[in-house]
């Protein structure tokens, strides 16, 4: 409603909003406002994700005339004098609106006004998956997969996305970080009936740019470290998410029977 009335000065949406959030940000920008897509690395992400969105308005929303209260006009509140700043709740918990704008504005000046789906942002989000806080957060991989499915793959293309996966995997220092990257790709294949990987070229790019390339690292892993990769490969074989020739290429690259 606020966007429709061109009342939004600053809009914050979490990356998990996908295309709907990007559309809202563009709408605000077209009306002269500023829009921010808050990535998972930002300290505001959890709050904004819980709310669904947060906005600072430069003018109050226009609403229908309230029923007559019987009070004289001079005693009625003047809504035109009220500056509105509110979060749009997605859950029952919500910060009181009066507390939100100051903190959001101060931090927004330090944040980059993000263009939808930049390669730099993708690589940052993949790197964040290896941080301790993300590894301890059960929701970090699902959020990353949602961003890949709804944002990065459509906007950047599979070639760039899986190049970023390969580069991040090769530089990862933690076993758990590498596994998180693997599980994100696994979810792309297995979640929502594999819809994310069905567009032409995505599966091939994943095999060529990521799965085969990381084989040089997987070959050197201990038997215990390889267990997760064996299990994922068996899942893919059972569900036939790869063509037989693609599966054989991955098995050969990973040195698995």
């Amino acid at each position: 409603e606020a966007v429709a009335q061109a009342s939004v000065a600053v809009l914050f949406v979490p990356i998990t909003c996908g295309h709907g959030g990007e559309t809202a940000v563009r709408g605000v920008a077209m009306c002269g406002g500023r829009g921010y897509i808050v990535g998972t690395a930002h300290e505001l992400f959890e709050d904004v994700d819980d709310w669904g969105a947060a906005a600072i308005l430069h003018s109050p929303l226009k609403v229908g005339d309230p029923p007559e209260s019987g009070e004289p006009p001079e005693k009625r509140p003047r809504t035109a004098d009220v500056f509105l700043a509110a979060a749009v709740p997605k859950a029952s918990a919500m910060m009181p609106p009066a507390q939100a704008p100051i903190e959001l504005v101060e931090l927004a000046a330090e944040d980059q006004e993000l263009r939808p789906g930049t390669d730099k942002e993708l690589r940052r989000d993949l790197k964040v998956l290896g941080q301790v806080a993300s590894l301890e957060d059960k929701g970090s991989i699902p959020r990353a997969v949602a961003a890949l499915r709804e944002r990065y793959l459509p906007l950047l293309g599979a070639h760039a996305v899986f190049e970023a996966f390969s580069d991040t995997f090769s530089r990862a220092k933690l076993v758990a970080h590498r596994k998180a990257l693997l599980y994100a790709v696994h979810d792309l294949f297995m979640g929502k009936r594999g819809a994310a990987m069905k567009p032409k070229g995505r599966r091939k790019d994943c095999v060529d740019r990521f799965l085969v390339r990381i084989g040089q690292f997987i070959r050197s892993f201990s038997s215990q470290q390889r267990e997760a990769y064996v299990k994922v490969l068996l899942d893919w074989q059972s569900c036939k998410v790869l063509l037989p020739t693609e599966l054989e290429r991955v098995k050969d690259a990973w040195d698995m029977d």
Side-chain angles (χ1 to χ4, degrees):
E1 182 63 26
V3 174
Q5 293 186 22
S7 296
V8 180
V10 185
L11 176 67
F12 303 87
V13 296
I15 192 173
T16 50
C17 280
H19 293 303
E22 293 166 16
T23 300
V25 167
R26 291 192 186 101
V28 169
M30 289 175 64
C31 295
R34 294 172 66 83
Y36 296 89
I37 296 174
V38 183
T40 55
H42 199 285
E43 61 186 289
L44 288 175
F45 174 78
E46 293 294 339
D47 287 334
V48 177
D49 191 47
D50 284 341
W51 297 333
I56 299 173
L57 310 185
H58 56 67
S59 62
L61 292 179
K62 298 176 182 178
V63 296
D65 293 334
E68 291 295 333
S69 63
E71 295 180 346
E74 62 271 14
K75 290 189 176 181
R76 294 177 193 164
R78 295 183 300 167
T79 56
D81 294 338
V82 179
F83 178 84
L84 299 180
V88 180
K90 185 176 70 176
S92 58
M94 175 178 170
M95 179 189 293
Q99 297 179 12
I102 296 176
E103 183 181 5
L104 291 176
V105 171
E106 290 175 352
L107 291 175
E110 302 170 6
D111 200 13
Q112 178 187 9
E113 190 165 6
L114 299 174
R115 291 172 296 170
T118 63
D119 184 74
K120 181 178 179 180
E121 188 184 3
L122 166 63
R123 290 172 181 270
R124 184 193 66 187
D125 286 351
L126 294 180
K127 184 177 180 180
V128 166
L129 279 179
Q131 294 180 356
V132 175
S134 296
L135 295 173
E136 294 176 348
D137 179 4
K138 293 181 179 180
S140 62
I141 293 177
R143 285 195 299 270
V145 172
L148 289 163
R149 185 184 292 121
E150 299 170 12
R151 191 160 177 242
Y152 292 122
L153 281 168
L155 292 166
L156 295 177
H159 185 108
V161 166
F162 294 114
E163 283 273 2
F165 263 87
S166 178
D167 291 344
T168 305
F169 190 97
S170 66
R171 295 168 183 161
K173 304 299 182 183
L174 299 177
V175 171
H177 187 188
R178 295 192 184 102
K179 287 168 65 174
L181 295 169
L182 174 71
Y183 292 151
V185 171
H186 182 59
D187 202 1
L188 287 174
F189 276 117
M190 306 296 285
K192 297 184 182 295
R193 299 183 178 180
M197 300 302 290
K198 288 182 179 178
K200 184 178 179 180
R202 285 189 183 178
R203 189 188 66 250
K204 182 178 184 301
D205 278 331
C206 181
V207 172
D208 293 344
R209 303 291 168 183
F210 179 56
L211 299 178
V212 170
R213 288 187 180 183
I214 64 175
Q216 59 181 310
F217 301 98
I218 297 173
R219 284 170 173 263
S220 65
F221 290 168
S222 67
S223 298
Q224 184 177 4
Q225 291 175 344
R226 287 164 61 91
E227 287 178 0
Y229 298 84
V230 171
K231 185 178 185 302
V232 164
L233 204 55
L234 290 175
D235 285 345
W236 292 346
Q237 181 174 340
S238 175
C239 296
K240 298 180 179 180
V241 300
L242 298 177
L243 295 176
T245 53
E246 293 170 337
L247 184 66
E248 287 304 315
R249 286 186 62 204
V250 176
K251 283 184 175 181
D252 182 62
W254 293 9
D255 192 23
M256 296 182 183
D257 297 329

